[in-house]
Coordinates of all heavy atoms in Angstrom, one line a residue:
G161 N 156.6 140.5 13.6 CA 155.4 141.1 14.2 C 154.5 141.7 13.2 O 155.0 142.1 12.1
L162 N 153.2 141.7 13.5 CA 152.2 142.3 12.6 C 151.0 142.8 13.4 O 150.5 142.0 14.2 CB 151.8 141.3 11.5 CG 150.9 141.8 10.4 CD1 151.8 142.7 9.4 CD2 150.3 140.7 9.6
A163 N 150.6 144.0 13.1 CA 149.4 144.6 13.8 C 148.3 144.7 12.8 O 148.5 144.9 11.6 CB 149.8 145.9 14.4
Q166 N 148.1 147.1 9.9 CA 149.0 146.9 8.8 C 148.3 146.0 7.7 O 148.9 145.9 6.6 CB 150.3 146.2 9.3 CG 151.1 147.0 10.2 CD 152.4 146.3 10.5 OE1 152.4 145.6 11.5 NE2 153.4 146.6 9.7
E214 N 165.3 149.5 13.9 CA 164.0 148.9 13.5 C 163.7 149.1 12.0 O 164.1 150.1 11.4 CB 162.9 149.5 14.3 CG 163.0 149.2 15.8 CD 161.8 149.7 16.6 OE1 160.8 150.0 16.1 OE2 162.0 149.8 17.9
G215 N 162.9 148.2 11.5 CA 162.3 148.4 10.2 C 160.8 148.1 10.4 O 160.4 147.7 11.5
C216 N 160.0 148.3 9.3 CA 158.6 148.0 9.4 C 158.1 147.5 8.1 O 158.4 148.1 7.0 CB 157.9 149.3 9.8 SG 156.1 149.1 10.0
L217 N 157.2 146.5 8.1 CA 156.7 146.0 6.8 C 155.9 147.0 6.1 O 155.7 147.0 4.9 CB 155.8 144.7 7.1 CG 156.6 143.5 7.7 CD1 155.6 142.5 8.2 CD2 157.5 142.9 6.6
S218 N 155.4 148.0 6.9 CA 154.5 149.1 6.3 C 155.3 150.3 5.8 O 154.7 151.2 5.3 CB 153.5 149.5 7.3 OG 152.6 148.4 7.5
I219 N 156.7 150.2 6.0 CA 157.5 151.3 5.5 C 158.7 150.6 4.8 O 159.8 150.7 5.4 CB 158.0 152.3 6.6 CG1 156.9 152.6 7.6 CG2 158.6 153.6 6.0 CD1 157.4 153.5 8.8
H258 N 156.7 148.2 19.5 CA 156.5 148.6 18.1 C 155.1 148.3 17.6 O 154.4 149.1 17.0 CB 157.6 147.9 17.2 CG 157.5 148.2 15.7 ND1 158.5 148.8 15.0 CD2 156.5 147.9 14.8 CE1 158.1 148.9 13.8 NE2 156.9 148.3 13.6
E259 N 154.6 147.1 18.0 CA 153.3 146.6 17.5 C 152.2 147.4 18.3 O 151.2 147.8 17.7 CB 153.1 145.1 17.8 CG 154.1 144.2 17.0 CD 154.3 144.6 15.5 OE1 153.3 145.1 14.9 OE2 155.4 144.3 15.0
H262 N 151.6 150.6 16.7 CA 150.8 150.5 15.5 C 149.3 150.6 15.8 O 148.5 151.2 15.1 CB 151.0 149.1 14.8 CG 152.1 149.1 13.8 ND1 152.2 150.0 12.7 CD2 153.2 148.3 13.7 CE1 153.3 149.7 12.0 NE2 153.9 148.7 12.6
I266 N 150.9 155.0 15.6 CA 152.3 155.6 15.7 C 153.3 154.7 14.9 O 153.4 153.5 15.2 CB 152.7 155.7 17.2 CG1 151.8 156.6 17.9 CG2 154.2 156.2 17.3 CD1 151.9 156.6 19.4
M267 N 154.0 155.3 14.0 CA 155.0 154.6 13.2 C 156.4 154.8 13.8 O 156.6 155.8 14.5 CB 155.0 155.1 11.8 CG 153.6 155.1 11.1 SD 152.9 153.4 11.0 CE 153.9 152.7 9.6
F268 N 157.3 153.8 13.7 CA 158.6 153.9 14.3 C 159.4 155.1 13.9 O 160.2 155.6 14.7 CB 159.4 152.6 14.1 CG 160.1 152.5 12.8 CD1 161.4 153.1 12.7 CD2 159.5 152.0 11.7 CE1 162.1 153.0 11.4 CE2 160.2 151.9 10.4 CZ 161.5 152.5 10.3
E287 N 161.8 142.7 10.2 CA 160.8 143.7 9.9 C 159.6 143.4 10.8 O 159.2 142.3 11.0 CB 160.3 143.7 8.5 CG 161.5 143.8 7.5 CD 161.7 145.2 7.0 OE1 160.7 146.0 7.1 OE2 162.8 145.6 6.6
V288 N 159.0 144.5 11.3 CA 157.8 144.4 12.1 C 156.8 145.3 11.7 O 155.9 145.7 12.3 CB 158.2 144.6 13.6 CG1 158.8 143.4 14.2 CG2 159.1 145.8 13.8
Ligands
NI464 NI1 155.7 147.9 11.9

Side-chain angles (χ1 to χ4, degrees):
L162 187 73
Q166 293 184 274
E214 296 185 16
C216 181
L217 296 169
S218 296
I219 319 178
H258 179 114
E259 300 312 330
H262 272 303
I266 299 167
M267 306 299 284
F268 82 89
E287 306 265 338
V288 284

